Amino acid sequence: MIRRLGIASLVLLVSACGAVLSAAPPLADARLERRVTVHVEGMALAELLPRLSKATGVPLRADRETAEDKVVILGPDRPLHDVLEDLAALLGHRWERRTVGGEVQFVLTRDPEVRKKEEKLAESPEQVVLRHLQAQVRALREPRSRLEQRPENDPIRKALLDPKLRQATEFFALLNSRQRDLLIERGRYRLFFPALAPPYQAALQDLHRANQVPEETIRSLRVAIYRRGAPPDADFHLWVQGGGRVMASFYPGNAQYAVFEVPPNDPPVRGNPYTGDPVVTNATLPAIQEVLTQDTLPRVERLRRLAEATGVPVVADFYRLEPSQFLHREQKPGSGAADRIDALAHRLGSVWWTRKSTLLFRCRDWFRRRDYEMSDRWFDDTVRRLRGKEEPTLGDLLRLETLTFKQLIGLICLEERGMALTGTQDYHQRKLSGVPEVLDILEGFHGRSRAKLVNWDRLTREQQREIAPALPLRAEQMSPAQRSLILPLLAVQKREPDGLYPETFQITVQSRDPRPAKRREGYRYVPVELSWGTKGTSGDAELPLPLTVPDNRRSAAVIQVANERND
């Protein structure tokens, strides 16, 4: 039908939907020539653009994809269109001029070409290995003669000509797409023995027997339990080691059926990360010798001092999580201004480039980092719900269900490890595996959502002993729908070798007194302890519910137009 529509009809069709894209240049408007002073030390576009609109009278907004991007804007007053162009240049977005209800609006949208580039950059080492493993599975159909024609160093040839590794690949082929995604997200996944076809059960039993400890070496209860353990499950592990080395292992048998070196794909420290355009060497660049020595200052403070010392606009992205430690590579500054900015960018974990006189700084791993960031809207809503009462309910805890698994990791890192991801996400990947499934089970207790969680710190020892038996939520109290979630939870858990007993499953939830975060002045949260398990498996996690917004610099924002202060 759309192919038959003429241009005029198509315009009418778009108009009926409420918006028309204008053919005029996106920022061609005399109102954008007004000079403004914008001082923002970390604010989401969803909040910044409406404030700019209120101050200038120009309708500005971000679309759904760009609204939660947070930015730093520092420097002298300048035309509004320069500020807007800097925002688009920094984030790889583009402005569109739209007419909505007869009003011209300027909308910041995500550039499709930049989106494709970011998706390629964001591919994790685990995803790279998954693609190789999927090719390895397809090659299972190749005859041995064809496999032998592959180069000797070909990983597929090595894996599929080795009987042990070939068998591990055959088991991996049993995973569906959702299970493979969970393997990447959680680092492990298990196929339970009873759910497998008889040939696979027999193969697992053979592997299990071959891998058992000889009778004469049994000297501990743990080994004895292992020998009389339940039938073995097909257990998959995937993890990243230092330098991007990814290993995929299969148990029983401890078969490493894939090992790949995945080099980092971070952009260089200097140059436009979207286009690859270099910084013009003869560009006028400020001297920043003083800022280079301020290693102990937070990233935003160093950027602010850079703008004050040089008098040029500085625009950067903002994340509540600190840049990954591996991005802080020491760089000895050279004699040129660009070399000195290189050194600063290295220490900030950023890539830098220029647009006119503006210095732009983008976190070098922004395409990964943003997946771990919580939106300001989520923080504000959570803090507002708690209202400083410091006594969360089950419903408050279940707000964590709105976060992705990576955002859960980011929330833990904000509280625990100085906000840097490197060296922590793999740990928390294993630690938090199972938390989303536990929250799904708790969601079934609708009637208890307003009940306050027991604060363990405010009970005497006698009260703790008295209340402890009544705290767990047991399998017999759960609905059939809740009990059906127990096995999917156990599939991503570490299992002891004495078997699984879903009928013994239970969950315990309790809160503790509010705490300040390590290395985060002013950030407070209520820790909620979550533990779960059966006779054969267990897990636990401490989840922080924020009482304040971490590193909240929004109150320092200043927007001035024509010497008039605007709140």
Side-chain angles (χ1 to χ4, degrees), residues 22 26 81 108 135 137 146 163 205 275 281 316 335 344 362 417 467 481 502 508 527 535 557 565:
S22 172
H81 66 73
L108 191 59
V137 167
R146 186 171 176 183
Q205 290 281 31
T275 65
T281 54
S335 57
L344 175 62
R362 188 79 151 118
R417 297 291 183 97
I467 201 174
T508 302
K535 181 180 177 181
R565 180 69 174 268

Side-chain angles (χ1 to χ4, degrees), residues 10 32 63 125 165 200 392 411 436 452 458 482 523 525 546 555:
L10 186 58
L32 302 181
D63 69 7
L165 302 187
Y200 291 100
L411 186 64
K452 291 181 180 179
R458 298 182 185 179
Q482 288 173 293
Y523 176 40
Y525 63 94
S555 61

Side-chain angles (χ1 to χ4, degrees), residues 394-395 398 440-451 482:
L394 180 60
L398 292 176
D440 284 343
I441 294 174
L442 290 174
E443 178 68 29
F445 292 105
H446 299 292
R448 306 190 188 189
S449 61
R450 296 186 180 182
Q482 288 173 293

